[in-house]
Amino acid sequence: MPRFLYRRYMDFLLQQISRAVPYSGIRIKLHRWRGVKIGKGVHIGPMVTIDDVYPNFVVIEDGVSLAGQNYILTHNKPLEYHKHLSEAFLAPVIIKKNAWIAIGATVLPGVTVGEGAIVASGSVVTKDVPANTMVGGVPAKVIREFEMKDGIPVGFKK
């Protein structure tokens, strides 16, 4: 039990520091220490919360941008009162290469954000996001698809 409590305390401390430091590189290092798998060229903005209990269930691939004030959650634990409405569960969150999570978005457990996708500001992502699309809203839905040329988005499909 003391080992578990020590780990939870250290995780909490690293999370709190990462939310406030003024440099993305330090935030990335702190989250890696917590167990988040983070690729190269990633940007993590201020006030980003990556699951407080199971950060090791989060994978952030190369080139991803988390704008700021985002919540990335990997578990759900309803109170006793609601246990018949929703089960407790744990599921990974995977944010694929070059995805952009705009400010104030929330990504719920079990979601994969596709390669090159954009999650609009303030969205709540409850289901997987297809590659090369923009999603937005509560719950997030596909808004537009990107027009691609040689693997690079060049505009929105009409």
Side-chain angles (χ1 to χ4, degrees):
M1 185 68 141
R3 182 183 226 176
F4 172 78
L5 291 175
Y6 173 77
R7 180 67 193 148
R8 285 293 307 272
Y9 176 74
M10 289 305 297
D11 194 45
F12 171 80
L13 190 61
L14 292 171
Q15 172 87 283
Q16 294 308 307
I17 295 168
S18 73
R19 290 172 51 84
V21 296
Y23 176 63
S24 177
I26 296 171
R27 290 184 204 115
I28 289 167
K29 186 170 286 212
L30 292 169
H31 285 298
R32 282 182 177 146
W33 288 347
R34 296 180 62 230
V36 180
K37 293 158 201 76
I38 301 175
K40 296 177 183 172
V42 170
H43 170 79
I44 297 178
M47 304 304 288
V48 169
T49 299
I50 297 176
D51 200 273
D52 285 331
V53 182
Y54 300 102
N56 54 314
F57 274 70
V58 176
V59 176
I60 301 171
E61 295 184 357
D62 297 347
V64 167
S65 176
L66 301 176
Q69 298 177 4
N70 305 124
Y71 288 90
I72 311 298
L73 306 172
T74 62
H75 76 286
N76 178 47
K77 175 93 171 65
L79 296 172
E80 182 70 22
Y81 181 81
H82 296 107
K83 73 179 181 181
H84 299 293
L85 301 174
S86 177
E87 292 184 22
F89 67 93
L90 172 65
V93 169
I94 301 168
I95 304 173
K96 297 283 193 173
K97 184 176 175 185
N98 297 321
W100 172 19
I101 313 295
I103 198 160
T106 299
V107 180
L108 296 181
V111 167
T112 296
V113 177
E115 186 170 333
I118 297 174
V119 175
S121 297
S123 298
V124 177
V125 184
T126 61
K127 296 180 182 174
D128 289 353
V129 176
N132 303 313
T133 61
M134 174 186 269
V135 300
V138 180
K141 296 185 183 338
V142 173
I143 297 172
R144 307 208 55 196
E145 293 181 41
F146 305 146
E147 187 176 312
M148 303 293 288
K149 184 175 182 182
D150 300 322
I152 298 171
V154 294
F156 291 107
K157 292 183 178 180
K158 299 198 186 253

